[in-house]
Amino acid sequence: MSEPPGAVVFLASAPPAEETPEPSSELRTAGPAEAERPGDDTAPRPLAAQRVLPLRRPGRWIATAIVLVLVAQIAHGLVTNPFYQWDRFSYWFLRPTILDGLLVTLEVTAYSAVFGLLGGILIALGRLSRSPMLRAVSWTYTWLFRSVPLIVVLLFLYNFSALYKTLSLGVPFGPAFFTFDESRLATDVVVAVVGLSLNEAAYASEVVRSGILAVDQGQHEAAWALGLPKSYQFTKIVFPQALRSITPNYVNLLINLIKSTSLVFYVSLLDLFGSAQSMGSTYPGDIVPLLLVATVWYLILTSAVSVVQFYVERHFSRGATRTLPPTPLQKVRTGLRDLRARAQREAAI
């Protein structure tokens, strides 16, 4: 009898049916009492008593102990060192001067974030345009403002009236219809917002451009195949998907923008840092507490932005992941549930 190609033929023949041992009625499974018979080390243990021991990791415990010691030392130094003057810190933390500077910081940050994002979108579209002129101008703008330090941009705008005393609106190289006095138009807040927006737009353009390029090419082709207008393609199909990649990177820029507002002090605008610096000049003995006040407020602002970032990313991740990332409250509940289940297992054993 021929076998098909590739078949495996076993030469050993099966034992005769009569030689197969019959199951004896005397064979039975050992009970729990017999399994734990004294003096019998080879007897199997009950399933409930068998445990899988985790792998020992002494290096992890040593590193954790070292980090805990360092954190405890830093916290102890912050609390017990009289040089920090925590009583003066509590005095200055909610003073009207500090709160007024905080409002200026929030105002400048809000305007600069909005104008910077809008400018970044326009520059990114110019970089992706088919027009060589738009691509060249957009690339030059990004290259220039990413190369020049922000403090130089702010100081240049602050002294802009020395170069152009008046600004006009009219026909290019022709008569002017409206003329503005630059010194009256360029207030301290305007100079700060314009400088920060110009700098922010250069970085935001690269973030937006990378997010648009991250959208799958099939989405563009599907929109073109449907004959949708380009404006509708961008606002309804491309940009909403690009926001998933844009959001975390732009929030990093926003956090950096909050900290960059401390530079507007050099253009005579008393923001949060400027107010702390001004009070430090008036009260030299409170310089350290005032710097700590500014530091804590910056920590609060950036932490609030980070919380908003988490929920915005969670919103835009819908449809891209099977399960949404858990919120901090959900993580705490899951941890407590796992800890309770583990305690119950340990008690049962």
Side-chain angles (χ1 to χ4, degrees):
M1 181 178 179
S2 62
E3 298 293 337
V8 179
V9 180
F10 294 92
L11 299 179
S13 59
E18 60 272 14
E19 296 181 6
T20 303
E22 297 272 343
S24 174
S25 59
E26 297 180 358
L27 298 177
R28 57 190 178 87
T29 306
E34 294 176 336
E36 298 179 357
R37 186 178 301 160
D40 189 3
D41 297 336
T42 61
R45 300 177 61 189
L47 184 61
Q50 296 180 7
R51 297 179 56 190
V52 178
L53 297 178
L55 182 64
R56 303 295 181 184
R57 299 183 183 273
R60 179 187 299 174
W61 291 101
I62 294 173
T64 302
I66 293 175
V67 171
L68 287 177
V69 170
L70 292 177
V71 171
Q73 288 181 338
I74 294 174
H76 181 267
L78 288 174
V79 173
T80 60
N81 193 340
F83 186 72
Y84 292 111
Q85 306 179 51
W86 292 108
D87 55 337
R88 301 299 297 170
F89 169 86
S90 60
Y91 171 80
W92 286 109
F93 189 72
L94 295 177
R95 297 296 296 176
T97 303
I98 300 298
L99 296 181
D100 291 341
L102 178 62
L103 291 177
V104 173
T105 296
L106 293 175
E107 180 183 4
V108 172
T109 302
Y111 284 124
S112 301
V114 173
F115 293 143
L117 179 59
L118 295 178
I121 293 174
L122 294 178
I123 297 171
L125 293 178
R127 290 287 305 274
L128 298 174
S129 174
R130 296 182 180 181
S131 172
M133 180 58 66
L134 292 178
R135 290 200 305 268
V137 172
S138 301
W139 181 88
T140 303
Y141 179 93
T142 304
W143 164 76
L144 178 64
F145 281 95
R146 289 202 304 176
S147 303
V148 179
L150 177 58
I151 184 63
V152 176
V153 176
L154 291 173
L155 292 175
F156 183 83
L157 292 176
Y158 186 71
N159 297 281
F160 195 71
S161 59
L163 299 175
Y164 302 96
K165 297 184 180 299
T166 59
L167 298 177
S168 60
L169 180 64
V171 179
F173 310 105
F177 300 141
F178 300 99
T179 303
F180 307 95
D181 187 358
E182 198 275 338
S183 59
R184 295 182 179 179
L185 183 64
T187 61
D188 295 340
V189 175
V190 172
V191 170
V193 171
V194 171
L196 291 173
S197 299
L198 292 175
N199 185 79
E200 187 76 2
Y203 291 93
S205 65
E206 290 299 289
V207 172
V208 174
R209 187 174 69 91
S210 64
I212 294 175
L213 294 177
V215 178
D216 188 76
Q217 188 64 25
Q219 301 292 324
H220 298 271
E221 296 174 353
W224 292 335
L226 293 174
L228 300 176
K230 287 189 175 182
S231 59
Y232 189 88
Q233 294 179 23
F234 180 76
T235 56
K236 299 297 183 180
I237 298 177
V238 177
F239 195 65
Q241 298 182 65
L243 282 175
R244 190 164 57 249
S245 301
I246 293 174
T247 299
N249 296 320
Y250 185 72
V251 171
N252 289 334
L253 293 181
L254 185 58
I255 292 175
N256 186 63
L257 177 62
I258 294 175
K259 297 184 294 183
S260 298
T261 54
S262 59
L263 295 177
V264 301
F265 169 70
Y266 295 100
V267 293
S268 302
L269 185 62
L270 291 181
D271 65 322
L272 175 60
F273 175 76
S275 299
Q277 189 76 4
S278 177
M279 290 296 99
S281 301
T282 306
Y283 302 91
D286 292 348
I287 292 179
V288 173
L290 286 167
L291 290 178
L292 287 174
V293 167
T295 301
V296 171
W297 273 118
Y298 281 121
L299 286 174
I300 293 174
L301 295 179
T302 54
S303 300
V305 173
S306 300
V307 172
V308 175
Q309 173 190 0
F310 172 80
Y311 285 99
V312 172
E313 290 182 1
R314 191 171 185 270
H315 172 76
F316 285 109
S317 63
R318 294 183 302 177
T321 57
R322 295 184 180 274
T323 57
L324 294 177
T327 62
L329 183 58
Q330 291 175 345
K331 290 181 179 180
V332 172
R333 290 177 178 174
T334 303
L336 293 176
R337 191 184 306 113
D338 294 342
L339 185 61
R340 189 182 302 111
R342 182 178 179 182
Q344 293 176 354
R345 289 195 301 267
E346 294 288 342
I349 295 174

